[in-house]
């Protein structure tokens, strides 16, 4: 039995090799997975009321990232920087509107706010998914 090895082209340009280099394409899934993990931990910490120093920053990350990713998914046609700016601004606006509505209705609670942001982000993601599925379904024409 013979083993055939295919050697990938080296990305080293003569500079000293300090270990394996991570390309931009390889880092994006890693960063996305890390962001999802931090957001999920923030959601769990906020809903279960676990006392830890990481609760506040992780929950804040979740409160900004959940609506921002949903809004960014809806704004696929924009340029990357415009999409980032619009999605972060939209996330801040959604958070402020939820907080203002809860305060006006005298139903303020941290868990309720986190749950409301979760529901709003999920609904926006579902609306984007439904819109994309409608565009992909071929229409049948009968002769």
């Amino acid at each position: 039995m013979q083993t055939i090895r295919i050697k990938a082209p080296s990305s080293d340009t003569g500079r000293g090799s300090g270990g394996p280099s991570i390309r931009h394409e390889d880092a994006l899934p890693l960063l996305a997975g890390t962001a999802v993990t931090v957001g999920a931990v923030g959601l769990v910490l906020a809903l279960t009321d676990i006392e830890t120093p990481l609760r506040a920053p992780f929950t804040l990350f979740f409160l900004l990232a959940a609506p921002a990713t949903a809004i960014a998914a809806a704004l696929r046609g924009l340029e990357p920087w415009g999409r980032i700016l619009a999605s972060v601004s939209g996330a801040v606006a959604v958070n402020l509107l939820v907080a203002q509505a809860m305060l006006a209705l005298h139903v303020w609670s941290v868990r309720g706010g986190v749950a409301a942001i979760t529901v709003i982000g999920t609904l926006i993601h579902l609306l984007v998914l439904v819109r994309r599925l409608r565009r992909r379904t071929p229409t049948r024409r009968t002769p």
Side-chain angles (χ1 to χ4, degrees):
M1 182 179 234
Q2 183 179 5
T3 303
I4 299 174
R5 296 184 186 192
I6 300 174
K7 189 173 183 179
S10 175
S11 62
D12 191 14
T13 59
R15 289 178 264 152
S17 176
S21 63
I22 298 176
R23 294 190 317 252
H24 178 67
E25 298 85 22
D26 296 337
L28 284 178
L30 180 65
L31 289 174
T34 304
V36 168
T37 303
V38 169
V41 168
L43 175 65
V44 169
L45 289 176
L47 292 179
T48 58
D49 203 25
I50 297 173
E51 291 297 325
T52 177
L54 296 176
R55 184 173 128 192
F58 282 15
T59 302
L60 179 63
F61 179 80
F62 171 77
L63 288 174
L64 288 175
T69 56
I71 293 170
L75 300 174
R76 289 187 83 182
L78 292 179
E79 293 181 15
W81 285 110
R83 189 173 171 186
I84 290 169
L85 182 64
S87 63
V88 171
S89 300
V92 171
V94 166
N95 281 302
L96 290 174
L97 287 173
V98 166
Q100 186 175 3
M102 291 179 75
L103 287 172
L105 297 172
H106 302 288
V107 292
W108 172 255
S109 73
V110 175
R111 288 182 183 154
V114 171
I117 295 297
T118 303
V119 168
I120 291 171
T122 303
L123 286 176
I124 294 172
H125 271 297
L126 287 175
L127 290 172
V128 170
L129 181 65
V130 167
R131 186 179 69 183
R132 287 184 189 164
L133 288 176
R134 280 190 181 172
R135 288 183 182 173
R136 287 186 185 177
T137 57
T139 57
R140 292 187 181 191
R141 296 182 184 181
T142 56

